[in-house]
């Protein structure tokens, strides 16, 4: 009888490797096509030497173990992995519309409809992850990709891959950390509610809420929850209300994710399909 669901053993020659999509500390991500199925994928190549040097092999194994079991439209799929003498290869879903932060940089800030649609999709993805006891998926703009339909996808594996023109402010940024992490307290899934609030603010204003020149100043603003809403661009009171209920110092007081999905601003602005299409009026 056929092996009980014997996972396919992938080898590099199963793929035609194309252009590089991004480059990072541990290696590159390439566009690739699986020869038998003609499926387009993103092939993340990590150097064993780099992994060993940074003692992250066990973390990579854990990340791959988690990621390979996740199935959600707003979480980038990990189809499989393989390795050879010198490298580890991750076979990832290819997100055809690339990195969200590039789009945010280009647009300066997103509309309320676009922001609410993304925030609702991410809240659903986080509810799914928390249901699987997976937390802290590090949802800063750098780790968000956009699929062919315009749907948002969480793409982090604990290894951020630097693309060619990486945003300077993000390297080692504190911006997305909640007070309990900045104060080195242990953290639980409430951290994701905080990060989603930071992301919602940055989508609407184009800058994160506690941004400052010095790390020490950002740190002070986070622990104090020094939340200020600029006059420009105009943002509705309902949006500010949602952000204010997520960026709360006491983690237990933060608006639970299912309540985020019921918030009037989300209900009125998020596209039910979870996809933001430019210029669609109704
Ligand atoms: C945090 C992170 O992993 N960043 C990137 C590097 C490329 N990689 C991709 C991954 Cl892992 C998956 N799909 C991608 N699609 C793209 C991309 C598409 N366009 C038009 N431009 C780009 C770039 N990149 C990827 C992830």
């Amino acid at each position: 009888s056929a092996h009980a669901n014997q996972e396919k053993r992938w080898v590099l020659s199963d793929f035609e490797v194309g252009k590089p999509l991004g480059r990072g500390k541990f290696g590159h991500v390439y566009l690739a096509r699986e020869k038998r199925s003609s499926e387009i994928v993103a092939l993340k190549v990590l150097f064993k030497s780099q992994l060993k040097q940074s003692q992250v092999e066990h973390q990579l194994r854990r990340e791959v173990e988690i990621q390979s079991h996740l199935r959600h439209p707003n979480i980038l799929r990990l189809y499989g992995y393989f390795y050879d003498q010198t490298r580890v290869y991750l076979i990832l879903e290819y997100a055809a519309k690339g990195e969200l932060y590039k789009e945010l940089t280009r647009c300066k800030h997103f509309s309320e409809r676009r922001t609410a649609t993304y925030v609702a999709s991410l809240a659903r993805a986080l509810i799914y992850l928390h249901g699987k006891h997976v937390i802290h998926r590090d949802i800063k703009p750098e780790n968000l990709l956009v699929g062919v339909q315009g749907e948002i996808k969480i793409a982090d594996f604990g290894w951020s891959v630097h693309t060619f023109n990486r945003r300077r402010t993000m390297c080692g940024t504190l911006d997305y950390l909640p007070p309990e992490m900045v104060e080195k307290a242990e953290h639980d899934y409430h951290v994701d509610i905080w990060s989603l609030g930071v992301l919602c603010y940055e989508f609407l204003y184009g800058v994160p809420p506690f941004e400052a020149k010095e790390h020490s100043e950002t740190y002070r603003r986070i622990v104090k929850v020094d939340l200020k809403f600029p006059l420009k661009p105009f943002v509705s009171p309902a949006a500010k209300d949602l952000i204010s209920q997520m960026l709360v110092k006491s983690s237990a007081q933060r608006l639970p994710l299912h309540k985020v999905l019921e918030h009037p601003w989300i209900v009125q602005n998020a596209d039910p399909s979870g996809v933001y299409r430019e210029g669609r009026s109704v």
Side-chain angles (χ1 to χ4, degrees):
S1 71
H3 291 287
N5 185 21
Q6 178 74 21
E7 283 295 295
K8 160 112 183 101
R9 293 263 175 282
W10 295 104
V11 290
L12 188 54
S13 60
D14 287 331
F15 302 90
E16 280 161 7
V17 181
K19 68 172 181 174
L21 292 168
R23 169 182 65 199
K25 189 170 172 235
F26 298 103
H28 291 67
V29 180
Y30 296 90
L31 192 60
R33 183 209 309 270
E34 200 277 316
K35 289 173 181 169
R36 228 179 310 283
S37 66
S38 295
E39 278 261 336
I40 297 291
V41 296
L43 197 61
K44 190 181 271 195
V45 183
L46 304 159
F47 291 99
K48 283 185 176 178
S49 56
Q50 295 270 25
L51 296 172
K52 207 176 295 299
Q53 227 165 9
S54 318
Q55 281 127 31
V56 292
E57 301 102 313
H58 63 283
Q59 189 186 347
L60 176 63
R61 249 188 288 280
R62 186 173 54 80
E63 290 288 342
V64 168
E65 180 53 31
I66 293 172
Q67 203 70 27
S68 55
H69 290 95
L70 300 178
R71 299 279 187 285
H72 190 279
N74 302 110
I75 297 172
L76 199 79
R77 276 295 310 279
L78 171 69
Y79 297 121
Y81 68 96
F82 57 98
Y83 46 85
D84 60 22
Q85 205 60 28
T86 54
R87 287 163 294 215
V88 176
Y89 303 85
L90 305 185
I91 308 164
L92 299 163
E93 175 186 356
Y94 172 66
K97 292 199 169 161
E99 297 177 283
L100 189 67
Y101 88 86
K102 280 185 188 162
E103 179 65 5
L104 181 56
T105 308
R106 189 181 66 77
C107 301
K108 302 273 181 292
H109 57 84
F110 291 150
S111 68
E112 298 208 12
R113 277 194 45 248
R114 181 169 195 171
T115 299
T117 302
Y118 288 156
V119 168
S121 298
L122 292 170
R124 286 193 295 271
L126 290 171
I127 290 169
Y128 169 81
L129 284 176
H130 294 170
K132 298 228 167 214
H133 309 296
V134 174
I135 60 163
H136 190 42
R137 302 301 297 171
D138 201 8
I139 50 171
K140 51 184 183 277
E142 254 48 12
N143 289 340
L144 299 175
L145 295 168
V146 185
V148 67
Q149 303 283 343
E151 72 280 22
I152 194 168
K153 294 181 181 270
I154 300 176
D156 77 303
F157 305 99
W159 269 271
S160 62
V161 175
H162 302 273
T163 53
F164 294 99
N165 50 353
R166 187 165 175 66
R167 215 164 56 155
R168 64 200 165 355
T169 54
M170 290 303 279
C171 295
T173 181
L174 285 172
D175 285 313
Y176 279 76
L177 296 182
E180 64 270 24
M181 283 191 76
V182 163
E183 291 168 326
K184 302 267 185 294
E186 93 288 343
H187 61 274
D188 63 12
Y189 64 89
H190 295 100
V191 301
D192 290 334
I193 302 170
W194 175 279
S195 301
L196 189 55
V198 173
L199 201 66
C200 183
Y201 182 106
E202 179 163 4
F203 284 162
L204 290 170
Y205 290 102
V207 291
F210 308 111
E211 191 173 59
K213 283 189 196 52
E214 301 296 325
H215 264 199
S216 54
E217 179 57 13
T218 303
Y219 173 104
R220 195 190 60 74
R221 295 195 63 202
I222 291 171
V223 297
K224 194 181 152 224
V225 191
D226 175 26
L227 181 60
K228 294 187 192 102
F229 294 111
L231 291 174
K232 287 261 178 279
F234 172 79
V235 169
S236 65
K240 294 179 193 170
D241 174 74
L242 175 59
I243 292 167
S244 306
Q245 292 196 60
M246 299 174 83
L247 298 184
V248 172
K249 175 142 184 143
S250 156
S251 60
Q253 308 298 317
R254 289 172 201 155
L255 195 64
L257 289 168
H258 69 279
K259 290 281 184 203
V260 171
L261 290 174
E262 294 162 7
H263 189 281
W265 182 71
I266 293 288
V267 172
Q268 282 147 29
N269 289 281
D271 191 297
S273 70
V275 170
Y276 172 75
R277 272 191 215 92
E278 302 272 351
R280 210 170 62 165
S281 55
V282 287

